[in-house]
Amino acid sequence: MNRFKTIKELLCRTYRQDPDPAEVARLEKRILGDASKAMKKAVIDNAKPSTTKMWRMIMESNVTRYSAAAVIAVGTLVLLNPLGTSGRGVALAQVQARVAQVQTMVLKGHTTFTSINDPNVSVHYDNVKYISRDHGFVEEGYVKGALFYRVVLNRQTKQALLLLASWKKCLGFPCTQEQIEVTEKLTPTGVVDLFLETRFKRLGISQIEGVEVEGFEVQDLKPIENIVPKALCDIQQGTATIWVGTKELLPVRGEADMVLGANFWTGFMDVRCHEITVLDSYDVALDPKLFDTSVPEGYAEFKLTDLIPFLRK
Amino acid sequence: MIEDRVLIWRFNAGDVEAMCRIYEKYRMDLLAVARAVLRDAAAAEDVLHDVFVQFASQAGRFEPRGSLKGFLAVCVANRARNVNRQRRPEGPMDAEARSSGLPDSLEAVVRAEHRLLVAEAMAQLPPEQREVIALHVLSALRFRQIALQTGESINTVQSRYRYGMQRLRSLLSGQVEL
């Protein structure tokens, strides 16, 4: 109410003033230091069992261990594929079969776009991808911890939502099965399939954060251009590497270097794209609300006229 | 708020950066609520510290009822109220509200005096009115959000706010230009 407007201003001036920056920093260090310790302990104590922990539980019992081993031995014999089977190291066909069993994945990554015409023009952002065979696909981009964009494809409702958080704009549209399949080509499932469909080079055994991995490299990403629409990703050349855990047979890290043609996602510039993606977790419960495509409060519908300022540049 | 939903998800997954982002986002609001209820800067910082550490210890199973900001702000108000109950009876303002050092200008002197008067007026309000005013004005929570988090009816919340603000207006009238 207006009659209280002055009192509200007085209250804000009284209580919302910040002390000097040194005090703010001191308080932040104190609080976040103690909170981080509490959080790390809590994550361990409160974590729900995931398939990785289930695997450890199976291995701790002689009965279940040998049963599991028998299943894997039979499964491996059935699924072995001449492609990529060299008798040593990881067979990508095994990885393909293993990835096909995974129901959910959470991937974290970092992407850098650099303009080909001006290397000083670059964009860096973190991204998180949530993949669920039941619910669909979500990708979020963050710049300095703040949400920048969010893309949702809901497999069950066949709806999609593109959200641009910094502009408070969004675009909802129906999503076809074909579009979902195209998106899946960009997930670990699709990446492993791609490696099997093209010529790859083995990079040998290495270690990533204590996990033994084997590397595979594709030096020609041309085949992918027929899978992904140019409006989404115009790959003109590129190489990709995946590192696969030799025990779990899952891709744990992927890296790609590409030259992309100009489109909306590249800010209408020809760019070099460097992307690193790490498997954060798999077969964890993903909240179905994460795949909600309803328009959030405070967002307006994206219009083509919103693109005019970019097209003029 | 969609960003908060994502932050909660990442927080529950153990992402420390998400927790830091939550702190950075709501620090000012929460500290303001604590200061308004407690009137003591050091105690307000302790309350914020305790509430945030308690919040962090719920990582992995945190599911707020209502908004994240509403949950945190009411936690701060509740804890501040408990601290107040354990402290000495309300009396003259603590040093924090008094201006310290030489003011730069007449305007600064006036502002410092106003802050003292406002803090003293707030101290005269019943705790429940002070808390609702702090949550609504300083943390920008809607009455509906406050009612949801505190378990009170929305009419009760609105009444406390209205009576509290009228009392403040009455106390400050003649001392501050309203």
Side-chain angles (χ1 to χ4, degrees), chain A residues 2 14 21 50 99 164 188 210 226 252 269:
Chain A
N2 284 340
T14 302
S50 69
V99 170
L164 297 171
N226 298 322
V252 296
M269 295 183 292

Side-chain angles (χ1 to χ4, degrees), chain A residues 99 102-111 125-132 136-142 149 183-192 242-243 250-255 275-284 286 290-291, chain B residues 6 9-10 13 15:
Chain A
V99 170
V102 170
Q103 294 301 307
T104 64
M105 284 193 204
V106 180
L107 308 168
K108 290 186 177 174
H110 187 82
T111 303
Y125 62 93
D126 298 317
N127 54 70
V128 183
K129 296 181 180 69
Y130 304 91
I131 301 163
S132 164
F137 173 84
V138 172
E139 178 172 325
E140 296 158 353
Y142 292 87
Y149 73 86
T183 309
E184 281 178 349
K185 296 294 180 187
L186 303 172
T187 65
T189 309
V191 167
V192 175
I242 57 167
W243 295 91
L250 286 174
V252 296
R253 180 186 166 102
E255 205 163 326
E275 174 140 2
I276 299 173
T277 303
V278 172
L279 177 65
D280 181 72
S281 53
Y282 65 95
D283 278 341
V284 290
L286 292 180
L290 198 62
F291 302 87
Chain B
V6 171
W9 167 252
R10 288 169 62 196
D15 189 342

Side-chain angles (χ1 to χ4, degrees), chain A residues 67-101:
Chain A
S67 305
V71 166
I72 290 168
V74 170
T76 305
L77 285 171
V78 168
L79 291 166
L80 270 179
N81 184 313
L83 270 175
T85 310
S86 63
R88 295 173 58 191
V90 169
L92 275 184
Q94 294 171 281
V95 178
Q96 185 184 40
R98 181 70 187 93
V99 170
Q101 294 169 346

